[in-house]
Every structure is written in C-alpha cells, then in structure tokens.
Amino acid sequence: MVVGFSLLHGIAWGVRGPVILSMRAEYFGAHSFGTIMGFSSLIVMLGMIVGPIFAGLVYDNTGSYEIGFTLLALIAGASSLLMLWAGSPPPRPARRPTATSLAETQEAPAA
C-alpha cells in the first residue's frame, strides 16, 4: 500500500504543480503572476495551518481521524471540481505596439 500511495501521490503532485502555475499565468497574465502567487500562497498557508489543527480537534472529540480527514478530503475534492468548472480564460485583446516595443524590434544600424 505504501508503494501504491507513493506512486499516486507523486503523480498527483507532479501534475498539480505545473497545471496550477500555468492556469494562473493564463488567467491573469505574466504582469500579475507574482501578485497572484503571493495571495494564493497566503490561502495555501492558511490551509496548512488550519488543517492539522482541525484534524487534531476532531480526533480529540471523537477518538478518530476519520471524520476530520473525510471533511478535508471533501473540501479538496470540491476545490478540484471548481477548478474544472472554471473553464477557459477569455481571450485577451491584442496589444497595440508602443514606441518602446517598436524601437526594440528594429535592427540596429550597421557600423
């Protein structure tokens, strides 16, 4: 069971990381990527703090982790469904070239 868990967990995290990062870039663009990563890290950190405390409190009151882990798994499953439900981002309007971007694309004069 340990090997099966390791394989499943490794594949799940190996897929989740790149998919989440690419979704953030697609939805919010490169100019907002750092801000979005910062705010989402706060939410993830909150879950990492509250999750174990919640599971421990459930164990203290019931003598079992089953209810706490089941609720946490349902919350994680609901977030996965919300990600699937999000759909594709709307198309971005074409950017008009600026004077700076035009100057950068022109070749330098030959010496």
Side-chain angles (χ1 to χ4, degrees):
M1 288 185 71
V2 171
V3 172
F5 169 79
S6 298
L7 289 172
L8 183 62
H9 187 70
I11 291 169
W13 274 100
V15 170
R16 181 199 171 278
V19 168
I20 293 293
L21 292 175
S22 64
M23 282 180 69
R24 288 178 184 147
E26 282 293 316
Y27 273 89
F28 304 106
H31 64 282
S32 301
F33 190 77
T35 303
I36 297 300
M37 284 296 296
F39 280 114
S40 65
S41 294
L42 290 173
I43 295 168
V44 169
M45 189 63 64
L46 188 64
M48 293 172 72
I49 293 168
V50 173
I53 294 171
F54 172 74
L57 289 173
V58 169
Y59 179 81
D60 290 344
N61 290 317
T62 65
S64 172
Y65 287 109
E66 187 173 349
I67 294 171
F69 286 170
T70 300
L71 287 173
L72 292 172
L74 289 172
I75 291 169
S79 69
S80 297
L81 291 175
L82 289 173
M83 285 178 51
L84 290 173
W85 184 45
S88 299
R92 287 188 217 137
R95 291 180 58 181
R96 292 177 47 193
T98 62
T100 306
S101 66
L102 288 175
E104 291 171 354
T105 59
Q106 293 177 352
E107 292 183 29

